[in-house]
Amino acid sequence: MDNNTDTTQRHYHALELDKILLRAAELTCCEDAKNAMLSLTPSKKLDVVNALLKETSDAHSLSGRFGSPAFGGLTDITDSLKRAKTGSSLSASELLQVARVLHVIRTLKDWRKKAQAGSSVLDVYFDTLLPSRYVEDKITTSIISEDEIADNASPELAAIRRKIRLTSSKAREQLEKMIRSSVVQKYLQDNIITIRNGRFVIPVKAECRGNVPGLVHDTSGSGQTIFVEPMSIVEANNEIKVLESKELDEIARILYLLSAEVADIAGSVINSYKAAISLNVIFAKSELAYKMKAAVPIMNDKGVIELKKARHPLIDTEKVVASDVSLGESFDTLIITGPNTGGKTVSLKLIGLLSLMAMCGFMIPAADNCKLSVFDRVYADIGDEQSIEQSLSTFSAHITNTIDILKNCTSKSLVLLDELGAGTDPIEGAALAIAILEEFRAKGARVACTTHYAELKEFALQTDGVENGSCEFDVATLRPTYKLLIGVPGRSNAFAISLRLGMEHKLIERAEQLVSSESREFENVVTALESRQQEIEKKAKEIENAQRKAVKAQMKAEQELERVKKESQIELERAKQQAQEILTKTRAQAQALMEEMDAAKKSAESGEADKAKLRSKIKELEKIADPVTKKVNEGYILPRPLKAGDEVLIFDIDRNATVIEPPDSSGKVLVQAGIIKTRVNVSDLRLITTKKKQTTYTGSKRAVNRSNVDVKAVTEVDLRGMTAVEAIMELENAIDSAMLMNIGRLTIIHGKGTGVLRTEVQKYLKNCKYVRTFRLGVYGEGEAGVTIAELK
């Protein structure tokens, strides 16, 4: 931003960006990530800012769906890895830190694999993560803690420690024999075995030193006890010391080998660690967005700001008031007026802080589709001691800051000025403030300022590109609402506040008389504008509520439509299944009927009885093919002859109609159902005497004749005793039923006999498209008397 970094940071500090960064830093998991968060600076490049916001948005989306990834355990091991690459041996503590970092890298990689949500801009970081489960496991299985190496770290170490335990056990056994011996016990201070200088010893009374031959290793503080290593275990102790030395050498060798393994992957681990730090920063931004209920703004580089329901992120969520703020589109300068402690400074900081947050890649606490701009410089003259609760500054401090801003601002700058021109003579201060605003506008900067001067309100009303804004104040409660109103200048409300606080009415009247007529007229205009603004907001809220109800009703209607579609689909599938059942049954019976007809044609002796039987079967076949039963005439008789204008029910199709002409000679009645005129037999009409009771004549509905389409589960078919033709027909029916019931295996019993029936069955199965394969039965299934068919 500015060449002078301290000056730039001062402006950021005035807008409290440092507090936002600190709050986000507290959500990181390691020191490096925290430092990276605290060192963030706003970017002035639109493409960079959009990329940063996309990263935060993707992290926000992934966290919402799959939970946040775990970063605990990240530690800066860069120095250790670099030393390993030079051939140095790392300590057990350093190697364990490497293993912990490798574990975090692996869990992050696994988390992304489980979070199957399509591609993400964060994948460039996740793809950089290169875990090494081999090195991680090798370290964790070899090193138990910073002070202990596992026995199974190497076969040599296990063997050395086994020998140490065995030799120590033998030495202890010898010493225990000595301290249990009645000869030696009288020379001992205590019947115990202890260790001095890494060697087993026994406590001997000082005066009995010559009675226990051995090496003295220590003396008690009182001098009454000496610790003697008996000569009988000197060799054992020497062997233990040698073995312990070998143990240390072997541990050093193990640590060196593990360090060499780490050195081989040092480069990838360093890159993975940096990627993990970046991800930790991004997901900390995402977590902060959840806490602030934030949204992603739409960025531009045209200086356009349009905030909707924006909330200051540093004010208690229970107390903060959402505001709508706009700047840079229809006007480039916003003058905010209103009483003290009314929220003017908060509104000013809100504009600057949310802009800086977005330029750092933070989502902002506001409604969706807010617009913010990137700026090359963001200036804030709010005073060194300024905070949300307090405003202390002097005229000289303001002017010094303003001069500095005027020298450095550009057409891409955002300038925020608190109490412009305050601290001096009101007339001169107002004139100076107008001149300063004109200079900023000449440079093309976007400006927002607060003031108490009425002259600045008039300047905004009379100047294109300059707009008034005010912080709403409730005179009844003597409290500000902290709501920013764009397009309405604020009033001081001094008279109203004084009256509410108990000042005598005559004093207020005298003060009003001293105010010029122009000032009174101006205040009246402001009052009218405020009333109009409140009316517009009220109507806007009513429209918003109506739109919300309409959207809710539309969603409900769409859900109902979707439900009806699903039910229709279910009914359609059910109808298809019933139709398939009917088709299968009809096909089987039609095949059988054709066989019988062929047989009848060949037989010269077929008589009337056979023909009647065939006709009966044809009618039965027609009944199966048409499962819809016609309504049964219930013996209804018209109560009187029909005449034109009568309301009737066409019984056959359940449709109301109106009689146009009475029955003709053939019994046909001309009726109109809707826009259709048709002639209907009088026997199919029912007179409707009362429209409310028309449902009385609906009669029985059309229904599917399910008795003809019931299909039973078939797993075997017995063809014994049938002719070849009969057997094939029965087999076809059995296969159709099995296919409908999704039965994959059919047992066909044809008996052994002469084998003719078996040959015909297998010949049919060979050409049947529904059969995958078939075989003769085995022992226990019926052997050659049975064929097993596997269906498709």
Side-chain angles (χ1 to χ4, degrees), residues 568-584:
S568 301
Q569 187 65 26
I570 293 172
E571 290 297 326
L572 182 61
E573 292 298 327
R574 186 179 296 136
K576 286 181 179 179
Q577 184 177 357
Q578 292 175 358
Q580 183 62 36
E581 292 173 356
I582 294 170
L583 177 63
T584 303

Side-chain angles (χ1 to χ4, degrees), residues 558-700:
E558 290 175 353
Q559 291 173 355
E560 183 67 18
L561 179 61
E562 187 65 24
R563 184 187 65 80
V564 172
K565 284 182 179 179
K566 288 181 179 179
E567 290 182 357
S568 301
Q569 187 65 26
I570 293 172
E571 290 297 326
L572 182 61
E573 292 298 327
R574 186 179 296 136
K576 286 181 179 179
Q577 184 177 357
Q578 292 175 358
Q580 183 62 36
E581 292 173 356
I582 294 170
L583 177 63
T584 303
K585 189 76 173 179
T586 305
R587 185 175 63 185
Q589 298 221 4
Q591 183 68 25
L593 184 60
M594 289 174 64
E595 295 286 348
E596 290 189 21
M597 291 175 67
D598 290 342
K601 288 179 182 179
K602 294 177 181 178
S603 174
E605 299 178 356
S606 58
E608 289 298 324
D610 293 331
K611 292 179 181 179
K613 184 178 179 182
L614 286 174
R615 284 194 294 270
S616 175
K617 288 189 175 183
I618 290 172
K619 289 182 180 180
E620 183 180 351
L621 183 62
E622 290 175 351
K623 187 183 295 185
I624 293 174
D626 183 11
V628 180
T629 59
K630 293 184 178 180
K631 293 185 177 181
V632 179
N633 194 321
E634 301 163 342
Y636 175 82
I637 300 175
L638 288 169
R640 60 174 175 78
L642 296 177
K643 60 182 180 179
D646 283 343
E647 293 292 325
V648 295
L649 173 72
I650 304 176
F651 174 72
D652 192 39
I653 62 173
D654 287 333
R655 185 72 181 269
N656 288 356
T658 303
V659 175
I660 297 176
E661 295 179 0
D664 56 15
S665 57
S666 63
K668 298 288 186 179
V669 181
L670 181 63
V671 299
Q672 182 167 357
I675 61 172
I676 298 176
K677 294 181 180 179
T678 184
R679 290 191 178 275
V680 182
N681 196 302
V682 69
S683 62
D684 286 334
L685 298 179
R686 303 291 185 266
L687 180 64
I688 300 176
T689 56
T690 305
K691 289 186 179 180
K692 292 181 181 179
K693 296 182 180 180
Q694 68 183 48
T695 54
T696 305
Y697 304 100
T698 56
S700 58

Side-chain angles (χ1 to χ4, degrees), residues 630-784:
K630 293 184 178 180
K631 293 185 177 181
V632 179
N633 194 321
E634 301 163 342
Y636 175 82
I637 300 175
L638 288 169
R640 60 174 175 78
L642 296 177
K643 60 182 180 179
D646 283 343
E647 293 292 325
V648 295
L649 173 72
I650 304 176
F651 174 72
D652 192 39
I653 62 173
D654 287 333
R655 185 72 181 269
N656 288 356
T658 303
V659 175
I660 297 176
E661 295 179 0
D664 56 15
S665 57
S666 63
K668 298 288 186 179
V669 181
L670 181 63
V671 299
Q672 182 167 357
I675 61 172
I676 298 176
K677 294 181 180 179
T678 184
R679 290 191 178 275
V680 182
N681 196 302
V682 69
S683 62
D684 286 334
L685 298 179
R686 303 291 185 266
L687 180 64
I688 300 176
T689 56
T690 305
K691 289 186 179 180
K692 292 181 181 179
K693 296 182 180 180
Q694 68 183 48
T695 54
T696 305
Y697 304 100
T698 56
S700 58
K701 304 268 184 183
R702 289 174 177 262
V704 176
N705 186 355
R706 297 187 61 84
S707 62
N708 292 331
V709 296
D710 288 340
V711 180
K712 296 180 180 179
V714 176
T715 58
E716 69 175 35
V717 56
D718 191 348
L719 308 179
R720 290 175 295 184
M722 298 183 184
T723 64
V725 174
E726 292 173 339
I728 297 304
M729 289 178 57
E730 188 66 24
L731 178 57
E732 282 183 343
N733 290 335
I735 290 175
D736 286 340
S737 298
M739 291 294 291
L740 282 173
M741 302 305 293
N742 292 323
I743 295 173
R745 182 173 179 176
L746 184 65
T747 302
I748 306 164
I749 306 172
H750 44 62
K752 297 179 181 178
T754 60
V756 174
L757 191 55
R758 180 179 66 242
T759 302
E760 290 297 323
V761 166
Q762 294 186 351
K763 181 179 178 181
Y764 172 79
L765 294 176
K766 185 176 181 180
N767 296 317
C768 182
K769 64 180 180 179
Y770 301 113
V771 177
R772 180 184 292 107
T773 183
F774 61 89
R775 61 175 175 80
L776 286 175
V778 297
Y779 179 76
E781 291 180 330
E783 300 179 355

Side-chain angles (χ1 to χ4, degrees), residues 215 291 385 433 515 520 545 554 590 613 649 656 661 708 780:
L215 303 176
K291 291 180 180 293
E385 301 298 324
V515 176
R520 284 198 298 271
N545 291 335
Q554 182 180 359
K613 184 178 179 182
L649 173 72
N656 288 356
E661 295 179 0
N708 292 331

